[in-house]
Amino acid sequence: MPHFADVILPVPLQGLFTYSLPPDLAERARAGSRVVVPFGTKKTQTGLIARLHDRAPEGIDVKSILELVDEEPVVIPSQLSLWQWIADYYLCSIGEVFKAALPGKMKNSPRPTPDLSRPQQRISASVAQDGLTFSQPVDSFATPQGGEASGLMATDTVQPLSSHLPHLSPAQQTALDSIHSEWNQHAVCLLHGVTSSGKTEIYIHLIAEAIRRGEQVLYLLPEIVLTSQLTERLQAVFGQRLGVYHSKFTDVQRAKVWLRQLSSAPYDIIVGVRSSIFLPFRNLGLVIVDEEHEVNFKQQDPAPRYNARNVAILMASRAKARVLLGTATPSLDSYYNARLGKYGLVRLAERYGQVQLPEVEIVDMKELRRKRLVSGPFSPRLLEQMRQALDAHEQVILFQNRRGYAPHIECHVCGWVPRCPHCDVSLTMHSRSGRMTCHYCGFTTEIPARCPNCENPELRQHGFGTERIEEDIHNVFPSARVARMDLDTTRTRAAYEQIIHDFAAGETDILVGTQMVTKGLDFEQVSVVGILSADTMLNQPDFRAYERSFQMMSQVAGRAGRRQRQGHVLLQTMEAQLPLIRHVVAGDYDAMYQEQMTERRQFAYPPFFRLIFVYMKHRRADTVEHLATEFTRRLQGLFGQRVLGPDEPPVARVQSLFIRRAMLKLEPALPLGKVREVLLQTKTELLADKAYSSAQIYFDVDPL
Ligand code: ADP
Ligand code: ZN
Ligand code: ZN
C-alpha cells in the first residue's frame, strides 16, 4: 500500500506537493482522484493525486491528506501526462494547467468533512453497471433546480448513425479522397479551402467515418464561431452523439460533459472551444481544427498561455489520431509546415454550387479625401452599392475593427486627450452610455461637458467606432434595419445568437461589427461587404499585422455572395498601392505568403525562429526597468544575440502595473530543455531578491 501521494494544487508554484495517506485512504486512493489537503496556515485546497509512492520526503514535515473526494479517478493518465507537457512547454506550473482544465465546480472544495459512508449524502454521478462511480458530495454537482446529474446515464439512447450524409460535389469528393491519401503519410493534413467551399460537409464525412471505426472525435473551433448555426448542422447528422463544450456554458453543464467522457457511454464527438483539449478522451481517432489560423486558439491570460491547435496536434499524435486543420486563410506557420512536407496539404479552390468568389474593389480613401469627396466613414461608391443592395432586398455587412463611438476625443484648443488613469492608453468614447471607457482595464468615466484643462466647451471626436457607424447608417438610410455586433452588444451568448439569428432570418438589413463579423458565419442574402478601414489593421505594431489583415479581410469578403450569385466587396484604404491590398483583391494567398515569408526570414521571426517573450510587471516604473535590464543581461550572458530588449510593449502600463518585455528568438534546432531551465531559474533567483519580490514575471511561449 502506498504511503504518500504527490498532489497537484491549483497554485502558480512549480512542482507537486507531497502528502501522507491515512491508512483508510491508502487503499482507495488513485492517481487522478481529487483530494482535500491542508495548504498554508489555515486553509484547505482541493488538489489532484498525480502519483502514489512509498518514498518519504526528506527533511520535511509531511502533512496528511484530509479527504478523498473521488472513489474513481476523474482524470485519466493521458490527461496527466498532457498537462505536464503543457506546463513544461509553456513554462508554467502544472497547478495552473489543472486550474484551467477542470470546470469550476470540480475544483471547489467540497463541504467540510462530508461523511462519505452515508449514501444519502452522495449522488452517483454515473454508470453503476460497470462499477464506475464518481461519488460527489451532494452539493458539488447540484444544479440550480435542486441537484440531479442527468446526462450521465448509459441508458441515454444513442441513435444509429444517420445515412443522410450530405452528398458531396465532385470537388469535395476529390478533396476528401486526397485527405485520406495525405493521411497515409502525414498525421496532420491542412485543408486550404476557399470560403463557402463546403469544408464543414467534408468534416461531417470524416467524423462519420471515424465513428464507424468506433473512434472519438474532437472538433475544435475558435470561441466566436461556435454558434447554434454550426451545432444545429452537426446535431442534425449526429444527434445524441454530439457533446458541446463552451466557455459560456455553466460549470455544471461543463462538469457533466467531463464526467460523461469518463463513463462507459461517452460522446463520440466533442465540438468545443480551446479548453476542450483538457477533456478526457479514451479513444481519440480524429481531431478537426476549424479556422486553424484563428488567434483565439491561443490563451493570452492567465497561464497556461497555450495554443489549443498545437496542443491538439500533440494530443492526437500521442493517441495516434489523425488531424485535419481547415481554413480559407492558413496561418503562415501551418502553411510553412505543409510546404516543408511535415503536414499534408489539400486544396479546395471552388465554392460549393459554382458560386463565384466575391469581386473585391479597392476604394482609395486618400485620393477621395484629397479631392474632398468624402468626410465620413463611407465612400460614395460604398453608399451606392449599399443602396442598390437594399433596393434589391439584399443584405450588407460592414466591418470596422474598432468598437465604441470614437476611438479618441481631443480638445482642439489645448490638445488635451482623456487617458486611462491606470493604463497607457486613451479612452474610447461610447455615446450610448455617455461614457469614456478603457478597453484594457474597463475603467469608465463620464464624458466631460468641457475640457477639464482649458474649459473649452467643444471636444472633438476622432475616428469611427462601430457605434458611430451604426448611427451614421441611420442618418443615411433611415428605413434600413441595422444591427451591431461587437463586444458591447454580445455580452451574453443569447444576445450574440439573437443578432445572428435575426440577420440570417432577414430581419436585419445591415450588420455592422468588429472582427466578429469576419468569422465563419453563413448567410444567404449578403451581396455587399464593406471593409471600412483596412488601415487600422495594417498599422498594428505587430510583425503579424499583414498576415492578420489578409486573413480578416479575406474572411469578411468571404461572407459575400455565398449562395446565389457573386458578391461585391468594397475595400476602403488609405494605402491603395500596398501589395498586400492587391493580394486581398486577387484572393492570392500564395503571393501574400511569399512576401511575408521573405520578411520573416530577414528579421528572424516565426516560422523560421521560435519566440519566447518574458513579461515583467511592477507598480513602479524604475523597479520594473531595473528588473528587466537585469533579466535580459543574465539571459544574454548565456544566449547572446538571441535575446533582445528589454522594451516596452505597445501598451506599457495596464491596471497600474508598468510592463517591460524581453524577447528570445531561438533557432528551431536549439533544444528547449536548457532554455526552459535557465528561464525558470532566473525568474526564481530574481523574485527571491527583496527589491523585486512584489514583481510579476511570466513567459509567453510562441506568442500570437
Ligand atoms: P465553408 O466552411 O467552406 O466556408 P460551408 O461548409 O459553410 O463552407 O458551406 C457553404 C454553404 O454551402 C453551406 O450553406 C452549406 O450548407 C452548403 N454546402 C456545401 N457543400 C454542400 C453539399 N455537398 N451539399 C449541400 N450543401 C452544401
Ligand atoms: Zn482644452
Ligand atoms: Zn485602463
Side-chain angles (χ1 to χ4, degrees):
M1 259 195 311
H3 293 96
F4 298 97
D6 291 343
V7 174
I8 303 170
L9 291 176
V11 294
L13 302 167
Q14 296 292 328
L16 302 169
F17 299 83
T18 304
Y19 289 87
S20 64
L21 276 163
D24 62 317
L25 296 186
E27 233 172 279
R28 296 183 287 137
R30 304 264 181 287
S33 292
R34 287 169 297 168
V35 286
V36 178
V37 297
F39 188 71
T41 41
K42 294 202 240 356
K43 278 188 292 188
T44 62
Q45 280 273 14
T46 301
L48 190 87
I49 301 177
R51 56 178 175 243
L52 299 163
H53 59 86
D54 269 325
R55 295 178 308 275
E58 278 167 36
I60 311 173
D61 175 24
V62 182
K63 290 183 184 146
S64 169
I65 287 178
L66 299 176
E67 189 184 315
L68 179 68
V69 180
D70 304 302
E71 295 298 320
E72 291 290 334
V74 291
V75 171
I76 59 179
S78 59
Q79 286 173 289
L80 281 175
S81 83
L82 185 74
W83 295 1
Q84 188 58 58
W85 183 89
I86 292 173
D88 289 346
Y89 186 85
Y90 291 103
L91 293 163
C92 64
S93 77
I94 192 168
E96 287 169 310
V97 184
F98 166 66
K99 205 169 160 186
L102 244 66
K105 268 274 183 275
M106 293 173 68
K107 276 177 307 211
N108 294 347
S109 270
R111 269 197 196 143
T113 46
D115 180 355
L116 290 173
S117 63
R118 295 210 338 253
Q120 66 269 30
Q121 280 219 347
R122 298 191 274 161
I123 52 168
S124 166
S126 80
V127 189
Q129 287 93 318
D130 62 358
L132 204 59
T133 309
F134 311 103
S135 302
Q136 300 301 333
V138 174
D139 59 343
S140 66
F141 282 102
T143 59
Q145 289 79 25
E148 42 81 59
S150 68
L152 299 162
M153 300 301 154
T155 50
D156 267 6
T157 45
V158 176
Q159 270 92 35
L161 198 58
S162 137
S163 60
H164 301 110
L165 290 185
H167 196 75
L168 296 184
S169 71
Q172 289 172 334
Q173 187 61 50
T174 308
L176 182 69
D177 296 340
S178 310
I179 291 168
H180 281 298
S181 63
E182 291 291 345
W183 274 344
N184 287 331
Q185 292 163 57
H186 313 278
V188 183
C189 178
L190 173 64
L191 172 61
H192 181 193
V194 296
T195 51
S196 207
S197 55
K199 293 184 286 294
T200 318
E201 314 295 331
I202 294 179
Y203 303 153
I204 289 173
H205 277 256
L206 293 168
I207 294 169
E209 290 166 12
I211 292 178
R212 278 195 211 103
R213 288 193 301 267
E215 297 166 356
Q216 286 181 300
V217 180
L218 170 61
Y219 186 147
L220 276 182
L221 274 165
E223 182 85 38
I224 211 71
V225 189
L226 189 56
T227 59
S228 51
Q229 234 188 17
L230 179 93
T231 41
E232 277 164 20
R233 225 164 126 187
L234 295 172
Q235 233 137 20
V237 184
F238 300 110
Q240 302 274 356
R241 295 167 179 275
L242 183 85
V244 181
Y245 201 69
H246 194 290
S247 64
K248 291 229 167 99
F249 283 179
T250 64
D251 277 347
V252 174
Q253 287 170 314
R254 299 202 305 146
K256 280 183 182 176
V257 174
W258 185 292
L259 292 185
R260 171 137 177 189
Q261 291 318 84
L262 290 170
S263 77
S264 63
Y267 290 112
D268 294 319
I269 317 154
I270 293 288
V271 178
V273 295
R274 62 170 180 249
S275 57
S276 15
I277 57 145
F278 294 121
L279 284 169
F281 289 91
R282 292 195 206 271
N283 191 22
L284 189 65
L286 171 66
V287 174
I288 293 169
V289 186
D290 195 10
E291 313 289 348
E292 69 84 26
H293 63 280
E294 269 294 331
V295 183
N296 71 26
F297 280 125
K298 168 95 182 178
Q299 171 147 320
Q300 305 291 358
D301 251 321
R305 295 176 175 81
Y306 65 103
N307 184 319
R309 178 198 63 200
N310 297 351
V311 173
I313 290 173
L314 179 97
M315 198 173 149
S317 96
R318 292 182 161 197
K320 307 223 172 346
R322 300 285 179 223
V323 181
L324 185 69
L325 308 177
T327 174
T329 52
S331 61
L332 294 195
D333 307 71
S334 295
Y335 204 64
Y336 178 66
N337 280 330
R339 302 204 18 152
L340 281 184
K342 275 204 213 164
Y343 297 170
L345 177 62
V346 171
R347 286 177 212 276
L348 186 52
E350 66 181 56
R351 285 186 148 187
Y352 177 74
Q354 258 86 61
V355 178
Q356 283 183 303
L357 281 162
E359 181 194 352
V360 184
E361 178 183 329
I362 304 176
V363 180
D364 184 342
M365 294 299 269
K366 205 184 260 173
E367 181 72 6
L368 290 172
R369 289 253 154 81
R370 199 173 57 78
K371 294 183 178 159
R372 301 192 185 283
L373 290 171
V374 66
S375 56
F378 313 119
S379 61
R381 217 21 218 143
L382 177 58
L383 289 175
E384 180 191 320
Q385 290 285 321
M386 286 171 70
R387 183 161 290 123
Q388 274 182 23
L390 294 174
D391 287 347
H393 302 287
E394 293 164 350
Q395 290 173 306
V396 176
I397 290 180
L398 297 178
F399 167 43
Q400 172 74 337
N401 213 15
R402 281 271 170 81
R403 69 186 166 100
Y405 190 83
H408 74 274
I409 47 185
E410 189 182 52
C411 167
H412 73 283
V413 175
C414 74
W416 175 82
V417 171
R419 303 187 68 83
C420 177
H422 313 292
C423 311
D424 210 356
V425 290
S426 56
L427 297 174
T428 299
M429 173 184 166
H430 290 249
S431 73
R432 191 135 325 163
S433 56
R435 302 180 77 82
M436 310 183 293
T437 301
C438 169
H439 286 183
Y440 281 81
C441 73
F443 170 84
T444 149
T445 179
E446 241 162 76
I447 302 169
R450 44 187 66 236
C451 171
N453 202 28
C454 75
E455 302 275 302
N456 161 36
E458 194 199 340
L459 296 171
R460 284 201 184 150
Q461 297 143 14
H462 288 273
F464 302 93
T466 44
E467 231 184 51
R468 168 79 192 273
I469 307 279
E470 187 187 12
E471 186 181 290
D472 283 12
I473 300 170
H474 279 302
N475 295 335
V476 187
F477 303 107
S479 60
R481 296 162 301 173
V482 187
R484 170 161 61 92
M485 186 155 78
D486 56 30
L487 207 60
D488 301 311
T489 62
T490 56
R491 298 277 175 199
T492 66
R493 186 173 158 83
Y496 176 63
E497 297 268 348
Q498 188 67 44
I499 294 171
I500 290 168
H501 169 272
D502 291 351
F503 196 63
E507 284 158 27
T508 318
D509 303 306
I510 302 175
L511 180 65
V512 44
T514 53
Q515 32 117 21
M516 284 186 186
V517 301
T518 70
K519 312 298 168 173
L521 299 167
D522 182 27
F523 303 113
E524 277 181 68
Q525 298 296 334
V526 177
S527 62
V528 172
V529 164
I531 298 169
L532 296 178
S533 164
D535 313 297
T536 46
M537 293 175 270
L538 293 167
N539 297 333
Q540 295 285 329
D542 179 340
F543 71 93
R544 286 194 175 88
Y546 279 25
E547 176 187 356
R548 295 241 187 295
S549 304
F550 181 91
Q551 287 161 342
M552 275 197 254
M553 288 193 268
S554 311
Q555 291 284 350
V556 71
R559 302 309 115 206
R562 284 172 71 86
R563 296 284 167 82
Q564 277 94 11
R565 57 186 193 80
Q566 192 178 23
H568 203 87
V569 179
L570 287 124
L571 196 176
Q572 302 188 154
T573 177
M574 305 285 277
E575 313 260 2
Q577 306 309 319
L578 206 68
L580 187 94
I581 298 289
R582 289 205 307 275
H583 303 329
V584 174
V585 173
D588 194 343
Y589 177 85
D590 282 279
M592 182 280 292
Y593 174 81
Q594 294 300 349
E595 188 184 275
Q596 288 306 303
M597 291 296 270
T598 309
E599 282 193 16
R600 300 281 179 94
R601 190 189 294 275
Q602 189 177 347
F603 298 106
Y605 276 118
F608 299 105
F609 283 75
R610 180 195 301 282
L611 292 185
I612 299 177
F613 288 160
V614 184
Y615 281 97
M616 289 152 277
K617 297 186 179 178
H618 197 273
R619 237 154 238 293
R620 293 185 50 142
D622 54 347
T623 307
V624 78
E625 192 69 51
H626 286 136
L627 171 64
T629 309
E630 182 58 19
F631 204 117
T632 312
R633 195 187 59 75
R634 293 195 189 189
L635 290 183
Q636 275 163 344
L638 283 155
F639 302 116
Q641 305 279 329
R642 298 182 183 93
V643 187
L644 294 113
D647 69 356
E648 298 188 3
V651 178
R653 189 171 63 112
V654 173
Q655 292 181 324
S656 301
L657 294 175
F658 291 90
I659 313 170
R660 293 291 180 278
R661 181 176 72 179
M663 192 201 291
L664 276 85
K665 285 183 175 177
L666 308 172
E667 57 274 33
L670 195 77
L672 271 186
K674 175 76 183 160
V675 179
R676 200 176 287 140
E677 211 176 285
V678 169
L679 286 173
L680 291 175
Q681 177 71 22
T682 313
K683 170 179 167 173
T684 310
E685 282 170 17
L686 285 172
L687 289 182
D689 184 331
K690 247 214 233 103
Y692 306 129
S693 57
S694 58
Q696 293 174 28
I697 301 176
Y698 64 84
F699 307 104
D700 191 358
V701 180
D702 303 337
L704 278 187

